[in-house]
């Protein structure tokens, strides 16, 4: 399986394809994911804390240096924050009751939205009078709200804190259901605008990226309304190889932010080990 996307686990990292970056074997979840699920890649291990495979365009890293990413590959971010790991663990537990599950999904979404908006929001600068003197300031520009597109219904829980994280947002609901036999999506609610304003930034929120059918259909609808791949970010709780492969093949320069990456999807289209049906567990129905 040839994959054309980058995976890395440090929010400040910007990788360049030029240096011969390598990874020292460790228990890193991202490194383990790549070793188990991308068997055709040729990994080269040396002293250091990264690994990079130039031919297959897949990266796993725990580095802290700042570098610049080049190329048109899709990027997959798995932030290593302990709170993200905590809330993913709460979501995984089959004994977690519905209200706690929904709260955990919302808290995970808060953290992932924070990471997704890093270095991405338009800002304005100026000066204000503080109680002690004049201060130079920088605000998020309220004239360019970020469009939040939760995929109903589970996306509502993951996007619950979007308006408290982001100073200026507009929310557009998109309802897609998956046929349990064919695993193909169908649209039952579309509140997207006919056309997004030029330069719009869009965050699509969908907890489970399993087979990839739903998220691909959602991004297609957004792109039809004038948004470029590079202006779209996807936030999810769990992602699996089939969805990531579809996204990378169809949407270069897309950014995906995931709480965790899981190894496989079963014949019914559920991520394994996953966390079950996110919608049912969030809303109790």
């Amino acid at each position: 399986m040839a994959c054309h996307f980058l995976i890395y686990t440090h929010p400040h990292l910007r990788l360049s394809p030029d240096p011969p970056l390598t990874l020292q074997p460790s228990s890193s979840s991202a490194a383990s994911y790549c070793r188990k699920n991308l068997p055709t890649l040729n990994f080269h291990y040396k002293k250091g804390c990264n690994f990079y495979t130039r031919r297959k365009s897949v990266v796993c890293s725990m580095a802290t240096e700042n570098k610049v990413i080049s190329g048109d590959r899709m990027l997959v971010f798995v932030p290593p924050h302990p709170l993200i790991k905590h809330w993913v663990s709460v979501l995984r537990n089959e004994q977690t009751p519905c209200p706690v599950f929904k709260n955990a999904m919302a808290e995970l979404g808060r953290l992932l939205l924070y990471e997704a908006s890093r270095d991405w929001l338009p800002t304005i600068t100026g000066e204000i009078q503080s109680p002690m003197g004049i201060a130079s300031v920088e605000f998020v520009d309220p004239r360019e709200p970020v469009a939040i597109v939760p995929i109903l219904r589970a996306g509502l829980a993951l996007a619950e804190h979007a308006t408290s994280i982001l100073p200026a947002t507009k929310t557009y609901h998109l309802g897609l259901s998956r046929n349990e036999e064919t695993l193909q999506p169908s649209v039952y609610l579309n509140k997207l605008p006919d056309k997004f304003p030029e330069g719009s930034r869009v965050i699509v929120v969908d907890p489970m990226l399993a087979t990839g059918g739903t998220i691909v259909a959602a991004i297609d609808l957004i792109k039809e309304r004038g948004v470029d791949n590079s202006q779209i970010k996807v936030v999810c709780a769990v992602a699996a190889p089939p969805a990531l492969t579809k996204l990378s093949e169809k949407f270069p320069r897309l950014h995906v932010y995931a709480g965790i990456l899981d190894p496989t999807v079963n014949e019914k289209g559920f991520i394994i080990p996953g966390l079950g049906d996110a919608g049912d567990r969030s809303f109790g129905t």
Side-chain angles (χ1 to χ4, degrees):
M1 176 178 64
C3 295
H4 303 283
F5 52 89
L6 308 180
I7 305 173
Y8 61 93
T9 61
H10 196 285
H12 303 298
L13 179 68
R14 296 295 184 269
L15 293 171
S16 167
D18 297 323
L21 300 177
T22 57
L23 172 73
Q24 189 174 22
S26 71
S27 60
S28 161
S29 60
S32 176
Y33 174 88
C34 288
R35 285 194 293 268
K36 291 178 181 177
N37 300 292
L38 305 176
T40 62
L41 300 179
N42 296 315
F43 298 134
H44 304 287
Y45 296 96
K46 298 180 183 177
K47 288 185 68 177
C49 57
N50 311 308
F51 72 76
Y52 177 75
T53 64
R54 190 167 304 178
R55 286 180 296 171
K56 296 299 184 181
S57 305
V58 177
V59 167
C60 298
S61 177
M62 290 296 291
T64 58
E65 57 189 304
N66 290 314
K67 295 184 181 293
V68 178
I69 288 177
S70 62
D72 289 336
R73 290 158 294 191
M74 185 180 83
L75 306 182
V76 179
F77 298 77
V78 185
H81 199 292
L83 284 174
I84 290 178
K85 296 176 183 178
H86 169 81
W87 292 119
V88 168
S89 299
V90 173
L91 292 170
R92 285 213 196 269
N93 187 356
E94 67 176 359
Q95 300 300 319
T96 299
C98 174
V100 177
F101 184 94
K102 186 173 182 291
N103 179 71
M105 187 68 77
E107 292 301 324
L108 177 61
R110 184 202 301 270
L111 295 165
L112 292 174
L113 285 166
Y114 172 84
E115 295 293 349
S117 60
R118 185 190 299 272
D119 301 326
W120 196 54
L121 301 177
T123 60
I124 52 177
T125 59
E127 291 185 339
I128 60 171
Q129 178 70 49
S130 83
M132 303 303 293
I134 299 297
S136 297
V137 294
E138 185 173 0
F139 293 100
V140 172
D141 192 342
R143 298 168 298 181
E144 299 184 43
V146 175
I148 305 297
V149 182
I151 306 301
L152 305 184
R153 62 183 169 157
L156 292 173
L158 194 61
E160 184 171 318
H161 293 309
T163 55
S164 63
I165 289 290
L166 301 169
T169 62
K170 287 187 176 181
T171 301
Y172 301 95
H173 295 98
L174 187 58
L176 291 103
S177 59
R178 186 176 69 175
N179 186 295
E180 297 303 325
E181 294 182 359
T182 66
L183 303 183
Q184 296 303 307
S186 60
V187 178
Y188 65 86
L189 178 70
N190 184 351
K191 291 296 185 179
L192 297 176
D194 293 333
K195 187 78 172 179
F196 281 98
E198 184 176 356
S200 290
R201 294 165 174 83
V202 180
I203 298 179
V204 187
V205 183
D206 189 7
M208 311 300 289
L209 303 188
T211 62
T214 297
I215 190 65
V216 167
I219 296 176
D220 278 338
L221 290 171
I222 292 167
K223 285 178 59 63
E224 289 172 4
R225 288 156 172 79
V227 183
D228 184 74
N229 294 350
S230 61
Q231 293 295 95
I232 300 172
K233 295 194 177 187
V234 175
V235 167
C236 66
V238 187
L244 294 178
T245 299
K246 285 182 182 178
L247 288 171
S248 67
E249 291 173 348
K250 191 161 186 179
F251 307 114
R253 304 188 309 281
L254 183 71
H255 288 188
V256 177
Y257 289 78
I260 198 165
L261 305 181
D262 273 355
T264 189
V265 173
N266 67 14
E267 67 280 358
K268 294 183 178 180
F270 283 92
I271 298 175
I272 305 297
L275 47 84
D277 189 307
D280 288 356
R281 297 191 67 194
S282 291
F283 299 101
T285 57

